[in-house]
Short mmCIF file of all heavy atoms in Angstrom, two decimals:
data_model
loop_
_atom_site.label_atom_id
_atom_site.label_comp_id
_atom_site.label_asym_id
_atom_site.label_seq_id
_atom_site.Cartn_x
_atom_site.Cartn_y
_atom_site.Cartn_z
N GLY A 1443 13.28 28.69 -12.15
CA GLY A 1443 13.93 27.38 -12.03
C GLY A 1443 13.53 26.64 -10.74
O GLY A 1443 13.20 25.44 -10.78
N VAL A 1444 13.46 27.38 -9.65
CA VAL A 1444 13.03 26.75 -8.34
C VAL A 1444 11.59 26.28 -8.46
O VAL A 1444 11.29 25.20 -8.03
CB VAL A 1444 13.21 27.79 -7.21
CG1 VAL A 1444 12.53 27.30 -5.90
CG2 VAL A 1444 14.71 28.02 -6.94
N PHE A 1445 10.73 27.14 -9.00
CA PHE A 1445 9.32 26.80 -9.18
C PHE A 1445 9.19 25.59 -10.06
O PHE A 1445 8.44 24.63 -9.73
CB PHE A 1445 8.60 27.98 -9.78
CG PHE A 1445 7.08 27.68 -10.03
CD1 PHE A 1445 6.22 27.59 -8.96
CD2 PHE A 1445 6.62 27.45 -11.28
CE1 PHE A 1445 4.84 27.27 -9.16
CE2 PHE A 1445 5.29 27.15 -11.55
CZ PHE A 1445 4.41 27.04 -10.45
N SER A 1446 9.95 25.47 -11.13
CA SER A 1446 9.92 24.34 -12.05
C SER A 1446 10.31 23.08 -11.34
O SER A 1446 9.75 21.98 -11.49
CB SER A 1446 10.76 24.59 -13.29
OG SER A 1446 10.32 25.67 -14.02
N MET A 1447 11.38 23.21 -10.50
CA MET A 1447 11.82 22.02 -9.80
C MET A 1447 10.77 21.52 -8.77
O MET A 1447 10.55 20.30 -8.63
CB MET A 1447 13.15 22.33 -9.00
CG MET A 1447 14.33 22.56 -9.94
SD MET A 1447 14.70 21.11 -10.91
CE MET A 1447 15.42 20.05 -9.76
N LEU A 1448 10.07 22.45 -8.14
CA LEU A 1448 9.01 22.07 -7.22
C LEU A 1448 7.88 21.35 -7.96
O LEU A 1448 7.36 20.35 -7.44
CB LEU A 1448 8.46 23.25 -6.46
CG LEU A 1448 9.46 23.89 -5.44
CD1 LEU A 1448 8.85 25.20 -4.84
CD2 LEU A 1448 9.71 22.92 -4.32
N VAL A 1449 7.48 21.89 -9.08
CA VAL A 1449 6.41 21.23 -9.88
C VAL A 1449 6.86 19.85 -10.31
O VAL A 1449 6.11 18.92 -10.22
CB VAL A 1449 6.04 22.10 -11.10
CG1 VAL A 1449 5.16 21.37 -12.10
CG2 VAL A 1449 5.40 23.39 -10.63
N LEU A 1450 8.14 19.69 -10.79
CA LEU A 1450 8.60 18.42 -11.20
C LEU A 1450 8.69 17.46 -10.00
O LEU A 1450 8.26 16.33 -10.15
CB LEU A 1450 10.03 18.58 -11.79
CG LEU A 1450 10.70 17.33 -12.20
CD1 LEU A 1450 9.99 16.75 -13.44
CD2 LEU A 1450 12.15 17.63 -12.57
N PHE A 1451 9.11 17.89 -8.86
CA PHE A 1451 9.22 17.07 -7.64
C PHE A 1451 7.78 16.59 -7.28
O PHE A 1451 7.57 15.42 -6.93
CB PHE A 1451 9.83 17.84 -6.50
CG PHE A 1451 10.10 17.04 -5.31
CD1 PHE A 1451 10.99 15.94 -5.30
CD2 PHE A 1451 9.44 17.30 -4.13
CE1 PHE A 1451 11.21 15.22 -4.15
CE2 PHE A 1451 9.59 16.60 -2.98
CZ PHE A 1451 10.53 15.55 -3.04
N GLN A 1452 6.81 17.51 -7.34
CA GLN A 1452 5.43 17.11 -7.00
C GLN A 1452 4.94 16.06 -7.97
O GLN A 1452 4.25 15.09 -7.59
CB GLN A 1452 4.56 18.38 -7.02
CG GLN A 1452 3.20 18.15 -6.43
CD GLN A 1452 2.16 17.64 -7.47
OE1 GLN A 1452 2.30 17.88 -8.64
NE2 GLN A 1452 1.18 16.88 -6.97
N GLY A 1453 5.29 16.23 -9.24
CA GLY A 1453 4.83 15.21 -10.26
C GLY A 1453 5.49 13.84 -10.04
O GLY A 1453 4.86 12.87 -10.17
N VAL A 1454 6.76 13.85 -9.61
CA VAL A 1454 7.45 12.57 -9.29
C VAL A 1454 6.77 11.87 -8.12
O VAL A 1454 6.50 10.68 -8.10
CB VAL A 1454 8.93 12.80 -9.02
CG1 VAL A 1454 9.61 11.62 -8.44
CG2 VAL A 1454 9.62 13.24 -10.27
N ILE A 1455 6.48 12.69 -7.08
CA ILE A 1455 5.83 12.09 -5.91
C ILE A 1455 4.44 11.51 -6.28
O ILE A 1455 4.02 10.45 -5.86
CB ILE A 1455 5.71 13.18 -4.78
CG1 ILE A 1455 7.09 13.44 -4.22
CG2 ILE A 1455 4.76 12.70 -3.68
CD1 ILE A 1455 7.09 14.57 -3.20
N SER A 1456 3.69 12.29 -7.01
CA SER A 1456 2.31 11.85 -7.47
C SER A 1456 2.41 10.58 -8.26
O SER A 1456 1.69 9.63 -8.01
CB SER A 1456 1.67 12.92 -8.29
OG SER A 1456 0.47 12.57 -8.74
N SER A 1457 3.39 10.49 -9.16
CA SER A 1457 3.59 9.32 -9.96
C SER A 1457 3.93 8.12 -9.07
O SER A 1457 3.43 7.01 -9.27
CB SER A 1457 4.67 9.58 -11.03
OG SER A 1457 4.95 8.39 -11.75
N TYR A 1458 4.78 8.34 -8.09
CA TYR A 1458 5.22 7.28 -7.15
C TYR A 1458 3.95 6.72 -6.41
O TYR A 1458 3.82 5.56 -6.24
CB TYR A 1458 6.29 7.82 -6.22
CG TYR A 1458 6.67 6.82 -5.17
CD1 TYR A 1458 7.52 5.77 -5.45
CD2 TYR A 1458 6.14 6.97 -3.82
CE1 TYR A 1458 7.86 4.83 -4.45
CE2 TYR A 1458 6.57 6.07 -2.83
CZ TYR A 1458 7.37 5.03 -3.19
OH TYR A 1458 7.72 4.10 -2.16
N LYS A 1459 3.14 7.69 -5.88
CA LYS A 1459 1.93 7.24 -5.13
C LYS A 1459 1.04 6.47 -5.99
O LYS A 1459 0.47 5.45 -5.56
CB LYS A 1459 1.26 8.50 -4.57
CG LYS A 1459 1.94 9.07 -3.41
CD LYS A 1459 1.24 10.31 -2.84
CE LYS A 1459 1.89 10.90 -1.66
NZ LYS A 1459 1.18 12.04 -1.12
N LYS A 1460 0.82 6.83 -7.24
CA LYS A 1460 -0.03 6.07 -8.15
C LYS A 1460 0.52 4.65 -8.37
O LYS A 1460 -0.22 3.75 -8.43
CB LYS A 1460 -0.18 6.83 -9.47
CG LYS A 1460 -1.10 7.98 -9.44
CD LYS A 1460 -1.19 8.68 -10.77
CE LYS A 1460 -1.97 9.94 -10.64
NZ LYS A 1460 -2.04 10.70 -11.90
N ARG A 1461 1.82 4.50 -8.59
CA ARG A 1461 2.43 3.23 -8.70
C ARG A 1461 2.24 2.36 -7.53
O ARG A 1461 1.95 1.16 -7.61
CB ARG A 1461 3.91 3.33 -9.12
CG ARG A 1461 4.17 3.74 -10.59
CD ARG A 1461 5.63 3.50 -10.97
NE ARG A 1461 6.59 3.99 -10.07
CZ ARG A 1461 7.08 5.26 -10.10
NH1 ARG A 1461 6.57 6.14 -10.96
NH2 ARG A 1461 7.99 5.62 -9.23
N GLN A 1462 2.38 2.95 -6.32
CA GLN A 1462 2.25 2.25 -5.07
C GLN A 1462 0.80 1.75 -4.92
O GLN A 1462 0.56 0.62 -4.54
CB GLN A 1462 2.60 3.08 -3.89
CG GLN A 1462 4.08 3.40 -3.76
CD GLN A 1462 4.86 2.17 -3.48
OE1 GLN A 1462 5.46 1.53 -4.30
NE2 GLN A 1462 4.93 1.83 -2.18
N LEU A 1463 -0.12 2.61 -5.29
CA LEU A 1463 -1.56 2.26 -5.19
C LEU A 1463 -1.88 1.10 -6.17
O LEU A 1463 -2.54 0.08 -5.77
CB LEU A 1463 -2.39 3.46 -5.54
CG LEU A 1463 -3.93 3.20 -5.51
CD1 LEU A 1463 -4.41 2.79 -4.18
CD2 LEU A 1463 -4.63 4.52 -5.93
N LYS A 1464 -1.32 1.17 -7.34
CA LYS A 1464 -1.55 0.12 -8.36
C LYS A 1464 -1.00 -1.16 -7.88
O LYS A 1464 -1.64 -2.22 -7.97
CB LYS A 1464 -0.89 0.54 -9.68
CG LYS A 1464 -1.19 -0.38 -10.80
CD LYS A 1464 -0.60 0.05 -12.12
CE LYS A 1464 -0.88 -0.95 -13.22
NZ LYS A 1464 -0.32 -0.51 -14.48
N ARG A 1465 0.22 -1.20 -7.25
CA ARG A 1465 0.77 -2.43 -6.68
C ARG A 1465 -0.04 -2.98 -5.56
O ARG A 1465 -0.22 -4.19 -5.51
CB ARG A 1465 2.23 -2.15 -6.16
CG ARG A 1465 3.23 -2.08 -7.29
CD ARG A 1465 4.66 -2.08 -6.71
NE ARG A 1465 5.58 -1.45 -7.60
CZ ARG A 1465 6.12 -0.29 -7.46
NH1 ARG A 1465 6.09 0.36 -6.36
NH2 ARG A 1465 6.97 0.22 -8.42
N ALA A 1466 -0.56 -2.14 -4.69
CA ALA A 1466 -1.38 -2.61 -3.60
C ALA A 1466 -2.67 -3.22 -4.14
O ALA A 1466 -3.11 -4.31 -3.62
CB ALA A 1466 -1.73 -1.42 -2.66
N LEU A 1467 -3.30 -2.64 -5.12
CA LEU A 1467 -4.48 -3.24 -5.68
C LEU A 1467 -4.22 -4.55 -6.36
O LEU A 1467 -4.96 -5.47 -6.32
CB LEU A 1467 -5.10 -2.23 -6.74
CG LEU A 1467 -5.84 -1.05 -6.07
CD1 LEU A 1467 -6.28 -0.08 -7.16
CD2 LEU A 1467 -7.03 -1.53 -5.28
N GLN A 1468 -3.03 -4.65 -7.03
CA GLN A 1468 -2.63 -5.91 -7.67
C GLN A 1468 -2.43 -7.00 -6.64
O GLN A 1468 -2.78 -8.16 -6.84
CB GLN A 1468 -1.33 -5.67 -8.48
CG GLN A 1468 -1.57 -4.93 -9.79
CD GLN A 1468 -0.29 -4.57 -10.47
OE1 GLN A 1468 0.78 -4.54 -9.89
NE2 GLN A 1468 -0.42 -4.30 -11.78
N LYS A 1469 -1.82 -6.61 -5.52
CA LYS A 1469 -1.67 -7.59 -4.39
C LYS A 1469 -3.01 -8.13 -3.87
O LYS A 1469 -3.24 -9.29 -3.65
CB LYS A 1469 -0.94 -6.92 -3.21
CG LYS A 1469 0.54 -6.99 -3.28
CD LYS A 1469 1.12 -6.40 -1.98
CE LYS A 1469 2.65 -6.60 -1.94
NZ LYS A 1469 3.21 -6.02 -0.73
N ILE A 1470 -3.95 -7.16 -3.69
CA ILE A 1470 -5.29 -7.58 -3.26
C ILE A 1470 -5.99 -8.47 -4.29
O ILE A 1470 -6.53 -9.50 -3.97
CB ILE A 1470 -6.22 -6.30 -3.00
CG1 ILE A 1470 -5.65 -5.55 -1.82
CG2 ILE A 1470 -7.65 -6.70 -2.84
CD1 ILE A 1470 -6.30 -4.18 -1.58
N ASP A 1471 -5.81 -8.16 -5.60
CA ASP A 1471 -6.40 -8.95 -6.64
C ASP A 1471 -5.82 -10.37 -6.72
O ASP A 1471 -6.46 -11.31 -7.19
CB ASP A 1471 -6.30 -8.25 -7.97
CG ASP A 1471 -7.08 -6.96 -8.10
OD1 ASP A 1471 -8.04 -6.80 -7.35
OD2 ASP A 1471 -6.83 -6.15 -9.00
N ALA A 1472 -4.57 -10.55 -6.25
CA ALA A 1472 -3.97 -11.82 -6.28
C ALA A 1472 -4.18 -12.68 -5.01
O ALA A 1472 -3.79 -13.83 -4.96
CB ALA A 1472 -2.40 -11.64 -6.47
N MET A 1473 -4.87 -12.06 -4.02
CA MET A 1473 -5.13 -12.82 -2.79
C MET A 1473 -6.14 -13.91 -3.01
O MET A 1473 -6.99 -13.82 -3.89
CB MET A 1473 -5.68 -11.85 -1.73
CG MET A 1473 -4.72 -10.85 -1.20
SD MET A 1473 -5.59 -9.76 -0.02
CE MET A 1473 -4.18 -8.78 0.44
N ASN A 1474 -6.09 -14.95 -2.14
CA ASN A 1474 -7.21 -15.85 -2.14
C ASN A 1474 -8.29 -15.31 -1.26
O ASN A 1474 -8.10 -14.34 -0.60
CB ASN A 1474 -6.64 -17.28 -1.74
CG ASN A 1474 -6.27 -17.36 -0.26
OD1 ASN A 1474 -6.83 -16.72 0.58
ND2 ASN A 1474 -5.21 -18.16 -0.03
N GLY A 1475 -9.44 -16.00 -1.14
CA GLY A 1475 -10.57 -15.52 -0.40
C GLY A 1475 -10.25 -15.33 1.12
O GLY A 1475 -10.69 -14.31 1.68
N PHE A 1476 -9.43 -16.23 1.71
CA PHE A 1476 -9.17 -16.16 3.13
C PHE A 1476 -8.20 -14.96 3.38
O PHE A 1476 -8.36 -14.25 4.43
CB PHE A 1476 -8.57 -17.47 3.64
CG PHE A 1476 -9.48 -18.60 3.46
CD1 PHE A 1476 -9.07 -19.78 2.83
CD2 PHE A 1476 -10.80 -18.56 3.99
CE1 PHE A 1476 -9.96 -20.83 2.64
CE2 PHE A 1476 -11.65 -19.68 3.85
CZ PHE A 1476 -11.29 -20.81 3.18
N GLU A 1477 -7.25 -14.75 2.49
CA GLU A 1477 -6.31 -13.65 2.62
C GLU A 1477 -7.14 -12.31 2.52
O GLU A 1477 -6.88 -11.34 3.31
CB GLU A 1477 -5.25 -13.68 1.64
CG GLU A 1477 -4.26 -14.79 1.81
CD GLU A 1477 -3.29 -15.01 0.59
OE1 GLU A 1477 -3.74 -14.69 -0.55
OE2 GLU A 1477 -2.17 -15.42 0.82
N PHE A 1478 -8.05 -12.32 1.61
CA PHE A 1478 -8.90 -11.08 1.40
C PHE A 1478 -9.72 -10.81 2.68
O PHE A 1478 -9.93 -9.65 3.05
CB PHE A 1478 -9.78 -11.21 0.16
CG PHE A 1478 -10.56 -9.90 -0.07
CD1 PHE A 1478 -9.85 -8.77 -0.50
CD2 PHE A 1478 -11.93 -9.87 0.08
CE1 PHE A 1478 -10.57 -7.60 -0.73
CE2 PHE A 1478 -12.64 -8.72 -0.20
CZ PHE A 1478 -11.94 -7.55 -0.59
#
């Protein structure tokens, strides 16, 4: 059970980091040339 919780927690963190990265790329894609 402890091991399963650790694996699940690691998966949640990984998913969060992927979403953050996607948001950051979307922000960059929405910038104008000067902001970039």
Side-chain angles (χ1 to χ4, degrees):
V1444 168
F1445 178 74
S1446 298
M1447 291 300 287
L1448 289 174
V1449 169
L1450 179 67
F1451 185 65
Q1452 190 274 335
V1454 167
I1455 289 173
S1456 176
S1457 176
Y1458 175 77
K1459 286 182 179 179
K1460 285 179 185 176
R1461 282 194 312 274
Q1462 290 293 96
L1463 177 62
K1464 186 176 179 180
R1465 280 191 204 114
L1467 288 171
Q1468 287 171 339
K1469 272 185 175 177
I1470 291 170
D1471 291 341
M1473 291 178 179
N1474 65 38
F1476 301 125
E1477 291 169 330
F1478 185 69

